[in-house]
Amino acid sequence: MDGDSRKIPTHEVTYARLRDMILFGHLAPGAAVTIQGLVVDLGAGMTPVREAIRRLTAEGALEPQGNRRVSVPRMSAGMLEQVAFARLTIEPKLSEMAAKNLTPDLIVLLQSLDNQVDQAIRAGDVPGYLQANHAFHFCLYEASAAPVLVDMARSMWLRFGPSLRVVCARFGRVSLPDRHLEALAAMRAGDGPALRAAIERDIAQGIEQVQAALAQGEI
């Protein structure tokens, strides 16, 4: 093992991989997986996998099922209400804070990430969509220079992402208004309040889809 590969400890790599499996739809809500199965899927030892499970359980992204199994929790109406409140409070604020720090190069990068979102939608690639959409939002949020709020936003996405995966797979997103397009226009105009409003509408759109799926018993 060379020096570069030691920079990120194995347990951190394992945690990040398992977190991404949850965020990007590789683990369906309510479907139990064995710890041994995760060891194989992650290509990691039992100890770092157990540590990753412990951390993600503490974050509310996994729940133990007994028999050496864990699952991604199913969304409930009560949980969705809390997550929706947090996301609609924190993320539009992060967007407005980021507006003043956006450089032309960063806006080009955000446009490129949104192009990946569009490509995934056209291809019907739900995990690809979730990954590109997450990258777009957090590339923007990290420009806010507000790491405490960014960490809170990440926590909410861990709880919300798996449900959005179910909604995208069953209903699709092609016909929905493109709020990212509105956000990018606001970025180019240097209009913080407009960027905040566009991101708020984008978040609300996803929340409404999950609410509808819950009401119909789809989640």
Side-chain angles (χ1 to χ4, degrees):
M1 185 180 289
D2 61 29
D4 287 342
S5 60
R6 293 194 193 102
K7 288 182 179 176
I8 303 175
T10 300
H11 68 273
E12 289 293 341
V13 173
T14 303
Y15 167 80
R17 286 177 177 166
L18 183 53
R19 178 200 62 206
D20 288 354
M21 287 175 69
I22 296 166
L23 273 172
F24 306 139
H26 299 288
L27 297 177
V33 293
T34 65
I35 296 173
Q36 186 58 48
L38 290 175
V39 166
V40 173
D41 290 344
L42 294 166
M46 183 66 76
T47 298
V49 169
R50 285 188 178 278
E51 173 64 12
I53 289 170
R54 184 195 66 76
R55 289 174 62 182
L56 287 159
T57 299
E59 293 178 80
L62 286 174
E63 58 185 10
Q65 294 294 323
N67 244 0
R68 296 165 60 85
R69 293 173 180 266
V70 293
S71 69
V72 174
R74 291 185 183 276
M75 182 65 77
S76 66
M79 180 62 71
L80 179 58
E81 183 179 5
Q82 295 174 63
V83 172
F85 171 79
R87 290 197 63 200
L88 288 166
T89 301
I90 294 166
E91 294 176 51
K93 177 64 174 177
L94 281 170
S95 303
E96 189 168 24
M97 294 172 72
K100 63 182 181 297
N101 299 326
L102 293 175
T103 63
D105 285 348
L106 191 52
I107 294 172
V108 168
L109 174 58
L110 284 156
Q111 178 66 71
S112 174
L113 291 169
D114 190 48
N115 291 344
Q116 294 176 35
V117 171
D118 293 340
Q119 289 166 8
I121 290 171
R122 287 194 296 269
D125 177 4
V126 173
Y129 163 75
L130 294 174
Q131 189 163 357
N133 186 53
H134 180 276
F136 175 88
H137 278 267
F138 282 92
C139 181
L140 173 61
Y141 299 159
E142 285 167 5
S144 67
V148 173
L149 292 180
V150 172
D151 282 349
M152 293 171 71
R154 288 189 187 282
S155 175
M156 291 304 101
W157 275 63
L158 267 174
R159 293 174 183 268
F160 187 80
S163 295
L164 191 58
R165 171 248 197 214
V166 173
V167 170
C168 290
R170 295 183 182 184
F171 298 148
R173 290 180 56 93
V174 177
S175 63
L176 296 174
D178 191 342
R179 304 305 187 189
H180 288 187
L181 199 63
E182 299 170 10
L184 285 160
M187 292 177 209
R188 294 188 182 99
D191 189 336
L195 177 55
R196 176 180 183 135
I199 293 299
E200 185 170 2
R201 287 191 292 269
D202 184 56
I203 296 164
Q205 190 165 265
I207 290 166
E208 287 164 6
Q209 290 182 84
V210 173
Q211 286 172 330
L214 271 174
Q216 296 171 22
E218 297 285 344
I219 295 179

